CSV table of all heavy atoms in Angstrom, one decimal:
chain,number,residue,atom,x,y,z
A,7,SER,N,19.8,1.2,2.1
A,7,SER,CA,18.7,2.1,2.2
A,7,SER,C,17.4,1.4,2.4
A,7,SER,O,17.3,0.2,2.3
A,7,SER,CB,18.6,2.9,0.9
A,7,SER,OG,18.3,2.1,-0.2
A,8,VAL,N,16.4,2.2,2.7
A,8,VAL,CA,15.0,1.7,2.8
A,8,VAL,C,14.2,2.2,1.7
A,8,VAL,O,14.4,3.2,1.1
A,8,VAL,CB,14.4,2.2,4.2
A,8,VAL,CG1,15.1,1.5,5.3
A,8,VAL,CG2,14.3,3.7,4.3
A,9,LEU,N,13.2,1.4,1.4
A,9,LEU,CA,12.1,1.8,0.5
A,9,LEU,C,10.9,1.6,1.3
A,9,LEU,O,10.6,0.5,1.8
A,9,LEU,CB,12.0,0.9,-0.8
A,9,LEU,CG,10.8,1.0,-1.6
A,9,LEU,CD1,10.7,2.4,-2.3
A,9,LEU,CD2,10.8,-0.1,-2.7
A,10,VAL,N,10.1,2.7,1.6
A,10,VAL,CA,9.0,2.6,2.4
A,10,VAL,C,7.7,2.9,1.6
A,10,VAL,O,7.5,4.0,1.1
A,10,VAL,CB,9.0,3.6,3.6
A,10,VAL,CG1,7.8,3.4,4.5
A,10,VAL,CG2,10.3,3.5,4.4
A,11,VAL,N,6.9,1.9,1.4
A,11,VAL,CA,5.6,2.0,0.7
A,11,VAL,C,4.6,2.5,1.7
A,11,VAL,O,4.2,1.7,2.6
A,11,VAL,CB,5.2,0.7,0.0
A,11,VAL,CG1,3.9,0.8,-0.7
A,11,VAL,CG2,6.3,0.2,-0.9
A,12,ILE,N,4.2,3.7,1.6
A,12,ILE,CA,3.2,4.3,2.5
A,12,ILE,C,1.8,4.1,1.8
A,12,ILE,O,1.6,4.4,0.7
A,12,ILE,CB,3.4,5.8,2.7
A,12,ILE,CG1,4.8,6.0,3.3
A,12,ILE,CG2,2.3,6.4,3.6
A,12,ILE,CD1,5.2,7.5,3.5
A,13,HIS,N,0.9,3.5,2.6
A,13,HIS,CA,-0.4,3.0,2.0
A,13,HIS,C,-1.5,3.0,3.0
A,13,HIS,O,-1.2,3.2,4.2
A,13,HIS,CB,-0.2,1.6,1.4
A,13,HIS,CG,0.1,0.6,2.5
A,13,HIS,ND1,-0.8,-0.1,3.1
A,13,HIS,CD2,1.3,0.2,3.0
A,13,HIS,CE1,-0.3,-0.9,4.0
A,13,HIS,NE2,1.0,-0.8,3.9
A,14,THR,N,-2.7,2.8,2.6
A,14,THR,CA,-3.8,2.6,3.5
A,14,THR,C,-4.3,1.2,3.3
A,14,THR,O,-3.9,0.5,2.3
A,14,THR,CB,-5.0,3.6,3.1
A,14,THR,OG1,-5.5,3.2,1.8
A,14,THR,CG2,-4.5,5.0,3.1
A,15,ALA,N,-5.1,0.7,4.2
A,15,ALA,CA,-5.7,-0.6,4.1
A,15,ALA,C,-6.6,-0.7,2.8
A,15,ALA,O,-6.8,-1.8,2.3
A,15,ALA,CB,-6.5,-1.0,5.3
A,16,ALA,N,-7.1,0.4,2.3
A,16,ALA,CA,-7.9,0.4,1.1
A,16,ALA,C,-7.0,0.4,-0.2
A,16,ALA,O,-7.5,0.6,-1.3
A,16,ALA,CB,-8.8,1.6,1.1
A,17,LEU,N,-5.7,0.2,0.0
A,17,LEU,CA,-4.7,0.1,-1.1
A,17,LEU,C,-4.5,1.4,-1.9
A,17,LEU,O,-4.3,1.4,-3.1
A,17,LEU,CB,-5.2,-1.1,-2.1
A,17,LEU,CG,-5.2,-2.5,-1.5
A,17,LEU,CD1,-5.7,-3.5,-2.5
A,17,LEU,CD2,-3.8,-2.9,-1.0
A,18,HIS,N,-4.6,2.5,-1.2
A,18,HIS,CA,-4.1,3.7,-1.8
A,18,HIS,C,-2.7,4.0,-1.3
A,18,HIS,O,-2.3,3.7,-0.2
A,18,HIS,CB,-5.0,4.9,-1.3
A,18,HIS,CG,-6.3,4.9,-2.0
A,18,HIS,ND1,-7.4,4.2,-1.5
A,18,HIS,CD2,-6.7,5.5,-3.2
A,18,HIS,CE1,-8.4,4.4,-2.4
A,18,HIS,NE2,-8.0,5.2,-3.4
A,19,VAL,N,-1.8,4.4,-2.3
A,19,VAL,CA,-0.4,4.5,-2.1
A,19,VAL,C,0.1,5.9,-2.3
A,19,VAL,O,-0.3,6.5,-3.3
A,19,VAL,CB,0.4,3.5,-3.0
A,19,VAL,CG1,1.9,3.7,-2.9
A,19,VAL,CG2,0.0,2.0,-2.6
A,20,LEU,N,1.0,6.4,-1.5
A,20,LEU,CA,1.6,7.7,-1.6
A,20,LEU,C,2.8,7.6,-2.5
A,20,LEU,O,3.7,6.8,-2.3
A,20,LEU,CB,2.0,8.3,-0.3
A,20,LEU,CG,2.7,9.6,-0.3
A,20,LEU,CD1,1.7,10.7,-0.8
A,20,LEU,CD2,3.2,10.0,1.1
A,21,VAL,N,2.8,8.4,-3.6
A,21,VAL,CA,4.0,8.5,-4.4
A,21,VAL,C,4.5,10.0,-4.5
A,21,VAL,O,3.7,10.9,-4.4
A,21,VAL,CB,3.8,7.9,-5.9
A,21,VAL,CG1,3.7,6.4,-5.8
A,21,VAL,CG2,2.6,8.6,-6.5
A,22,LEU,N,5.8,10.1,-4.6
A,22,LEU,CA,6.4,11.4,-4.6
A,22,LEU,C,7.2,11.7,-5.9
A,22,LEU,O,7.9,10.7,-6.3
A,22,LEU,CB,7.4,11.5,-3.4
A,22,LEU,CG,6.8,11.0,-2.0
A,22,LEU,CD1,7.9,10.8,-1.0
A,22,LEU,CD2,5.8,12.0,-1.5
A,23,ARG,N,7.2,12.9,-6.4
A,23,ARG,CA,8.0,13.2,-7.6
A,23,ARG,C,9.4,13.8,-7.1
A,23,ARG,O,9.3,14.8,-6.4
A,23,ARG,CB,7.3,14.1,-8.5
A,23,ARG,CG,8.1,14.4,-9.8
A,23,ARG,CD,7.3,15.1,-10.9
A,23,ARG,NE,6.9,16.4,-10.3
A,23,ARG,CZ,5.8,17.1,-10.7
A,23,ARG,NH1,5.0,16.6,-11.6
A,23,ARG,NH2,5.5,18.2,-10.2
A,24,ARG,N,10.5,13.2,-7.5
A,24,ARG,CA,11.8,13.7,-7.1
A,24,ARG,C,12.1,15.1,-7.7
A,24,ARG,O,11.7,15.4,-8.8
A,24,ARG,CB,12.9,12.8,-7.6
A,24,ARG,CG,12.9,11.5,-6.9
A,24,ARG,CD,14.1,10.7,-7.3
A,24,ARG,NE,15.3,11.3,-6.8
A,24,ARG,CZ,16.0,10.9,-5.8
A,24,ARG,NH1,15.7,9.8,-5.1
A,24,ARG,NH2,17.1,11.5,-5.4
A,25,ALA,N,12.8,15.9,-6.9
A,25,ALA,CA,13.1,17.3,-7.3
A,25,ALA,C,14.4,17.3,-8.1
A,25,ALA,O,14.6,18.2,-8.9
A,25,ALA,CB,13.3,18.2,-6.1
A,26,ASP,N,15.3,16.3,-7.9
A,26,ASP,CA,16.6,16.3,-8.5
A,26,ASP,C,16.7,15.5,-9.8
A,26,ASP,O,17.8,15.1,-10.2
A,26,ASP,CB,17.7,15.9,-7.5
A,26,ASP,CG,17.5,14.4,-7.1
A,26,ASP,OD1,16.5,13.8,-7.5
A,26,ASP,OD2,18.3,13.9,-6.3
A,27,SER,N,15.6,15.3,-10.5
A,27,SER,CA,15.6,14.6,-11.7
A,27,SER,C,14.8,15.3,-12.8
A,27,SER,O,13.7,15.8,-12.5
A,27,SER,CB,15.0,13.2,-11.5
A,27,SER,OG,14.9,12.5,-12.8
A,28,ALA,N,15.4,15.5,-14.0
A,28,ALA,CA,14.7,16.1,-15.1
A,28,ALA,C,13.6,15.3,-15.6
A,28,ALA,O,12.7,15.8,-16.2
A,28,ALA,CB,15.7,16.5,-16.2
A,29,GLU,N,13.7,14.0,-15.3
A,29,GLU,CA,12.6,13.1,-15.8
A,29,GLU,C,11.4,13.1,-14.8
A,29,GLU,O,11.5,13.6,-13.8
A,29,GLU,CB,13.2,11.7,-15.9
A,29,GLU,CG,14.4,11.6,-16.9
A,29,GLU,CD,15.0,10.2,-17.0
A,29,GLU,OE1,14.2,9.3,-17.1
A,29,GLU,OE2,16.2,10.1,-16.8
A,30,ASP,N,10.3,12.5,-15.3
A,30,ASP,CA,9.2,12.4,-14.4
A,30,ASP,C,9.4,11.2,-13.5
A,30,ASP,O,8.8,10.1,-13.7
A,30,ASP,CB,7.9,12.3,-15.3
A,30,ASP,CG,6.7,12.7,-14.6
A,30,ASP,OD1,6.7,13.5,-13.6
A,30,ASP,OD2,5.6,12.2,-15.0
A,31,PHE,N,10.2,11.4,-12.4
A,31,PHE,CA,10.6,10.3,-11.6
A,31,PHE,C,9.8,10.3,-10.3
A,31,PHE,O,10.0,11.1,-9.4
A,31,PHE,CB,12.1,10.6,-11.2
A,31,PHE,CG,12.8,9.4,-10.6
A,31,PHE,CD1,14.0,8.9,-11.2
A,31,PHE,CD2,12.4,8.9,-9.4
A,31,PHE,CE1,14.7,7.9,-10.6
A,31,PHE,CE2,13.1,7.9,-8.8
A,31,PHE,CZ,14.2,7.3,-9.4
A,32,TRP,N,8.8,9.4,-10.2
A,32,TRP,CA,8.0,9.2,-9.1
A,32,TRP,C,8.4,8.0,-8.3
A,32,TRP,O,8.9,7.0,-8.9
A,32,TRP,CB,6.5,9.0,-9.5
A,32,TRP,CG,5.9,10.3,-10.1
A,32,TRP,CD1,6.0,10.8,-11.4
A,32,TRP,CD2,5.1,11.2,-9.4
A,32,TRP,NE1,5.3,11.9,-11.5
A,32,TRP,CE2,4.7,12.2,-10.3
A,32,TRP,CE3,4.6,11.2,-8.1
A,32,TRP,CZ2,3.9,13.3,-9.9
A,32,TRP,CZ3,3.7,12.3,-7.7
A,32,TRP,CH2,3.4,13.3,-8.7
A,33,GLN,N,8.3,8.1,-7.0
A,33,GLN,CA,8.8,7.0,-6.1
A,33,GLN,C,8.1,7.0,-4.8
A,33,GLN,O,7.4,7.9,-4.5
A,33,GLN,CB,10.3,7.1,-5.9
A,33,GLN,CG,10.6,8.4,-5.1
A,33,GLN,CD,12.1,8.5,-4.9
A,33,GLN,OE1,12.9,8.3,-5.8
A,33,GLN,NE2,12.5,8.8,-3.7
A,34,SER,N,8.3,5.9,-4.0
A,34,SER,CA,7.9,5.9,-2.6
A,34,SER,C,9.0,6.6,-1.8
A,34,SER,O,10.0,7.1,-2.4
A,34,SER,CB,7.8,4.4,-2.2
A,34,SER,OG,6.7,3.8,-2.8
A,35,VAL,N,8.9,6.6,-0.5
A,35,VAL,CA,9.9,7.2,0.3
A,35,VAL,C,11.1,6.3,0.3
A,35,VAL,O,11.0,5.1,0.4
A,35,VAL,CB,9.4,7.4,1.8
A,35,VAL,CG1,10.6,7.6,2.8
A,35,VAL,CG2,8.4,8.5,1.9
A,36,THR,N,12.3,6.9,0.1
A,36,THR,CA,13.6,6.1,0.1
A,36,THR,C,14.6,6.9,0.8
A,36,THR,O,14.5,8.1,1.0
A,36,THR,CB,14.1,5.9,-1.4
A,36,THR,OG1,14.4,7.1,-2.0
A,36,THR,CG2,13.1,5.1,-2.2
A,37,GLY,N,15.6,6.2,1.3
A,37,GLY,CA,16.7,6.9,2.0
A,37,GLY,C,17.7,6.0,2.6
A,37,GLY,O,17.4,4.8,3.0
A,38,SER,N,18.9,6.4,2.7
A,38,SER,CA,20.0,5.7,3.2
A,38,SER,C,20.1,5.7,4.7
A,38,SER,O,19.7,6.7,5.3
A,38,SER,CB,21.4,6.2,2.6
A,38,SER,OG,21.4,6.0,1.2
A,39,LYS,N,20.7,4.7,5.3
A,39,LYS,CA,21.1,4.7,6.7
A,39,LYS,C,22.0,5.8,7.0
A,39,LYS,O,22.9,6.1,6.1
A,39,LYS,CB,21.7,3.4,7.1
A,39,LYS,CG,20.8,2.2,7.2
A,39,LYS,CD,21.6,1.0,7.7
A,39,LYS,CE,20.7,-0.1,8.1
A,39,LYS,NZ,21.4,-1.2,8.8
A,40,GLN,N,21.9,6.4,8.1
A,40,GLN,CA,22.8,7.5,8.5
A,40,GLN,C,24.1,6.9,9.2
A,40,GLN,O,25.1,7.5,9.1
A,40,GLN,CB,22.2,8.5,9.5
A,40,GLN,CG,21.2,9.4,8.9
A,40,GLN,CD,20.7,10.5,9.8
A,40,GLN,OE1,20.6,10.3,11.0
A,40,GLN,NE2,20.4,11.6,9.3
A,41,SER,N,23.9,5.7,9.7
A,41,SER,CA,25.1,5.0,10.3
A,41,SER,C,24.9,3.5,10.2
A,41,SER,O,23.7,3.1,10.0
A,41,SER,CB,25.2,5.4,11.8
A,41,SER,OG,24.2,4.9,12.6
A,42,ALA,N,25.9,2.8,10.3
A,42,ALA,CA,25.8,1.3,10.2
A,42,ALA,C,24.9,0.7,11.3
A,42,ALA,O,24.2,-0.3,11.1
A,42,ALA,CB,27.2,0.7,10.2
A,43,GLY,N,24.9,1.4,12.4
A,43,GLY,CA,24.1,0.9,13.5
A,43,GLY,C,22.6,1.3,13.5
A,43,GLY,O,21.9,0.8,14.4
A,44,GLU,N,22.2,2.2,12.6
A,44,GLU,CA,20.8,2.6,12.6
A,44,GLU,C,20.0,1.4,12.1
A,44,GLU,O,20.3,0.8,11.0
A,44,GLU,CB,20.7,3.8,11.6
A,44,GLU,CG,19.3,4.4,11.6
A,44,GLU,CD,19.2,5.6,10.7
A,44,GLU,OE1,19.8,5.6,9.6
A,44,GLU,OE2,18.5,6.5,11.2
A,45,SER,N,18.9,1.1,12.8
A,45,SER,CA,18.1,-0.1,12.4
A,45,SER,C,17.2,0.3,11.1
A,45,SER,O,17.1,1.5,10.8
A,45,SER,CB,17.2,-0.5,13.5
A,45,SER,OG,16.1,0.5,13.7
A,46,TRP,N,16.7,-0.7,10.5
A,46,TRP,CA,15.8,-0.4,9.3
A,46,TRP,C,14.6,0.4,9.8
A,46,TRP,O,14.2,1.3,9.1
A,46,TRP,CB,15.4,-1.7,8.7
A,46,TRP,CG,16.5,-2.5,8.1
A,46,TRP,CD1,16.8,-3.8,8.4
A,46,TRP,CD2,17.3,-2.1,7.0
A,46,TRP,NE1,17.9,-4.2,7.6
A,46,TRP,CE2,18.2,-3.2,6.7
A,46,TRP,CE3,17.5,-0.9,6.3
A,46,TRP,CZ2,19.2,-3.1,5.7
A,46,TRP,CZ3,18.4,-0.9,5.3
A,46,TRP,CH2,19.3,-2.0,5.0
A,47,ARG,N,14.1,0.0,10.9
A,47,ARG,CA,12.9,0.8,11.5
A,47,ARG,C,13.3,2.2,11.7
A,47,ARG,O,12.5,3.1,11.3
A,47,ARG,CB,12.4,0.1,12.8
A,47,ARG,CG,11.3,0.8,13.4
A,47,ARG,CD,10.8,0.2,14.7
A,47,ARG,NE,9.7,0.9,15.3
A,47,ARG,CZ,8.5,1.0,14.9
A,47,ARG,NH1,8.1,0.3,13.8
A,47,ARG,NH2,7.6,1.7,15.6
A,48,GLU,N,14.4,2.5,12.4
A,48,GLU,CA,14.8,3.9,12.6
A,48,GLU,C,15.0,4.7,11.3
A,48,GLU,O,14.6,5.8,11.2
A,48,GLU,CB,16.1,3.9,13.4
A,48,GLU,CG,15.9,3.4,14.9
A,48,GLU,CD,17.3,3.1,15.5
A,48,GLU,OE1,18.3,2.8,14.9
A,48,GLU,OE2,17.3,3.3,16.8
A,49,THR,N,15.7,4.0,10.3
A,49,THR,CA,15.9,4.6,9.1
A,49,THR,C,14.6,5.0,8.4
A,49,THR,O,14.4,6.1,7.9
A,49,THR,CB,16.7,3.7,8.1
A,49,THR,OG1,18.0,3.4,8.8
A,49,THR,CG2,17.0,4.4,6.8
Side-chain angles (χ1 to χ4, degrees):
S7 65
V8 293
L9 169 66
V10 184
V11 177
I12 301 175
H13 63 90
T14 67
L17 298 174
H18 284 89
V19 174
L20 177 66
V21 289
L22 312 165
R23 186 173 56 211
R24 289 188 69 103
D26 63 357
S27 178
E29 302 178 48
D30 203 23
F31 193 121
W32 288 83
Q33 65 179 48
S34 294
V35 167
T36 63
S38 296
K39 286 186 166 189
Q40 284 188 330
S41 68
E44 186 177 42
S45 72
W46 294 122
R47 178 179 176 75
E48 291 167 330
T49 303

